[in-house]
Amino acid sequence: MVRLFEPLTIRGVTIPNRVVIPPMDMYCAEDGHATDFHRTHYGKFAFGGAGLVFVEATGVTRTGRITNGCMGIYYDSHVDALRPITAQIRAMGFRSCLQLAHGGRKASTQRAWQGNGPLTQENLDAGDERWQPLAPSAVPFTDGWEMPKEMDRTDMDEVRDAFVTGAHRAMDAGFDMVEIHMAHGYLLQSFLTPIANRRTDDYGGSLENRMRYPLEIARAVRAALPDDVPLFTRISATDWIDGGWEPEDSVVLAKALKEAGVDVVDCSSGGNMLHGATNSNLTRGPAYQAHFAKLLREETGIMTQAVGLIRTPELAEQLLAEGQADLIAIGRQALFDPYWAHHAAEKLGVTDWDTWPAPYAWWLSKWKRGLGSMDEEPLV
Ligand SMILES: Cc1cc2nc3c(=O)[nH]c(=O)nc-3n(C[C@H](O)[C@H](O)[C@H](O)COP(=O)(O)O)c2cc1C
């Protein structure tokens, strides 16, 4: 029995195997719209064999986009641009999930390949817009970054309603499920972590207060989704910074998310320090975040998704066998090898080739049985 290729049913949706393509921002949308680039990019994963394909961080408001190139779901026209992507994934028998996001104080920044920092005059000259980000407190991400506006109740209501509208639009676009982005230093995680949240009202101070707004969003999104639609939430299980958000806080949060109707916690980490920061206790290595997925799964009984430097099929299978997680996300390695899941099936001895598209499966199975070779003239 190969666990990586067992289906998983969550509410009314069956994911055909445990391999997940996690959300990966491509930074090349046009005013939030998916383009031919995205249709080709995600179409590749529709063919790739992963049971569940995430579509990247998608801003619920225009100013909630992290960069000018981020995908959005703040216009009805975004739905039309996304529909072909979900249709491609469904046509191949796989499932899709949209990550609903708000960039918070890390919004209005450069695309990753431009440096991920504050926008420069050169970026503005090239057509990028700049805006004041929203955050729990008027504390910039770091020196030289935009000073965010401290959100008042009106801002909080507007953003909550935008998450709800985003969830409705995601359903219209054909997604099988949605994920709330509550990680990586963006808006909702910046409410959670004391590093960014300095509020003195009901939304700051104690852990319970810091969790209040993110949980309001989780409950509102849950209520907006049909009962048979799964809801994921990505969290940063730790800030990796002394005095920041800790794994024990994540246990409390995961329990509360479960009560709010979240089905799966997608366990990432970090996002509040710059690369190479000296105040961080992070060390990376294979599956370096998976023990957080295990902790939350064991302590709260919620399903978890492990992510982060999981590159080989053997490691992915081992994490499932050890009960560390229910789903395994393969990010950068799948950019390098979009057929990762098919190759993993082969490596782990899964003998049926059903997950390949039929026209490929026919040829490949013949080839595998030694009945065909690359030299043979195709008989078509
Ligand atoms: C190009 C790129 C874009 C990413 N964009 C997002 C994103 O939109 N939302 C998110 O939660 N994480 C994002 N991530 C993080 C990935 O989802 C994943 O957690 C990370 O790459 C670690 O997994 P890996 O080691 O398998 O790549 C991104 C990563 C990459 C490489």
Side-chain angles (χ1 to χ4, degrees):
M1 179 185 68
V2 177
R3 289 177 179 80
L4 201 54
F5 288 88
E6 282 190 346
L8 176 67
T9 300
I10 309 172
R11 294 184 184 253
V13 176
T14 298
I15 303 168
N17 62 54
R18 309 302 180 99
V19 184
V20 176
I21 305 297
M24 287 186 280
D25 202 328
M26 293 289 109
Y27 306 101
C28 56
E30 289 172 9
D31 196 0
H33 295 89
T35 65
D36 284 340
F37 172 91
H38 296 94
R39 290 183 274 278
T40 307
H41 169 67
Y42 289 108
K44 224 172 49 188
F45 293 127
F47 254 31
L52 178 61
V53 179
F54 274 70
V55 165
E56 63 199 78
T58 296
V60 294
T61 62
R62 195 159 189 272
T63 53
R65 290 175 305 160
I66 305 159
T67 75
N68 283 260
C70 290
M71 205 100 97
I73 191 121
Y74 45 86
Y75 297 144
D76 287 337
S77 53
H78 291 136
V79 173
D80 299 331
L82 286 165
R83 225 176 247 133
I85 294 172
T86 62
Q88 284 171 322
I89 295 167
R90 176 164 309 111
M92 300 316 300
F94 302 116
R95 304 283 164 260
S96 60
C97 181
L98 183 69
Q99 187 182 50
L100 296 172
H102 191 295
R105 65 181 186 157
K106 289 171 83 174
S108 188
T109 49
Q110 294 172 311
R111 295 162 182 81
W113 65 76
Q114 296 169 327
N116 257 335
L119 291 166
T120 62
Q121 191 55 48
E122 196 186 339
N123 301 138
L124 300 176
D125 291 345
D128 279 357
E129 289 171 40
R130 189 175 159 183
W131 60 88
Q132 188 183 26
L134 292 174
S137 308
V139 181
F141 180 64
T142 189
D143 293 345
W145 286 49
E146 299 280 348
M147 174 62 77
K149 175 184 182 240
E150 176 174 318
M151 290 172 82
D152 58 26
R153 189 64 238 185
T154 307
D155 298 318
M156 290 163 74
D157 289 347
E158 279 173 12
V159 170
R160 183 203 54 215
D161 293 349
F163 268 94
V164 166
T165 306
H168 286 141
R169 288 199 176 113
M171 294 294 99
D172 281 355
F175 285 95
D176 295 296
M177 56 196 89
V178 299
E179 172 169 273
I180 302 169
H181 199 343
M182 222 177 256
H184 301 169
Y186 299 116
L187 183 70
L188 299 180
Q189 204 244 340
S190 64
F191 269 87
L192 293 172
T193 176
I195 288 172
N197 184 340
R198 311 278 168 82
R199 295 178 79 97
T200 52
D201 62 3
D202 287 351
Y203 295 92
S206 67
L207 176 60
E208 189 187 357
N209 279 0
R210 283 180 277 124
M211 293 195 317
R212 196 180 305 280
Y213 184 58
L215 288 173
E216 278 179 22
I217 303 275
R219 281 191 289 268
V221 171
R222 178 70 266 170
L225 296 172
D227 268 358
D228 57 351
V229 170
L231 174 59
F232 284 48
T233 298
R234 175 165 273 201
I235 69 165
S236 280
T238 173
D239 277 324
W240 300 109
I241 298 171
D242 289 341
W245 182 263
E246 299 287 351
E248 308 85 78
D249 300 327
S250 294
V251 173
V252 179
L253 176 64
K255 271 189 196 137
L257 289 171
K258 194 178 176 202
E259 278 165 22
V262 169
D263 302 297
V264 180
V265 175
D266 177 6
C267 293
S268 188
S269 69
N272 277 306
M273 70 267 188
L274 292 170
H275 291 294
T278 48
N279 63 343
S280 155
N281 47 32
L282 162 66
T283 43
R284 286 196 181 86
Y288 72 104
Q289 299 170 145
H291 62 289
F292 300 128
K294 180 172 190 239
L295 174 74
L296 302 189
R297 196 170 184 262
E298 284 180 353
E299 293 289 320
T300 72
I302 200 161
M303 282 185 266
T304 59
Q305 175 163 302
V307 64
L309 289 181
I310 304 166
R311 297 175 63 188
T312 64
E314 293 81 358
L315 178 56
E317 179 66 12
Q318 183 193 329
L319 296 172
L320 291 173
E322 291 172 355
Q324 304 219 28
D326 300 275
L327 291 160
I328 307 291
I330 310 293
R332 287 161 290 182
Q333 194 64 22
L335 291 179
F336 173 70
D337 174 13
Y339 292 144
W340 191 93
H342 295 303
H343 295 147
E346 185 181 358
K347 201 124 189 248
L348 296 174
V350 177
T351 46
D352 66 70
W353 286 89
D354 285 348
T355 59
W356 284 103
Y360 287 36
W362 165 77
W363 171 250
L364 288 171
S365 65
K366 190 166 129 108
W367 187 8
K368 295 276 159 199
R369 283 181 285 123
L371 301 176
S373 81
M374 289 305 265
D375 302 330
E376 188 184 323
E377 199 62 38
L379 300 172
V380 284

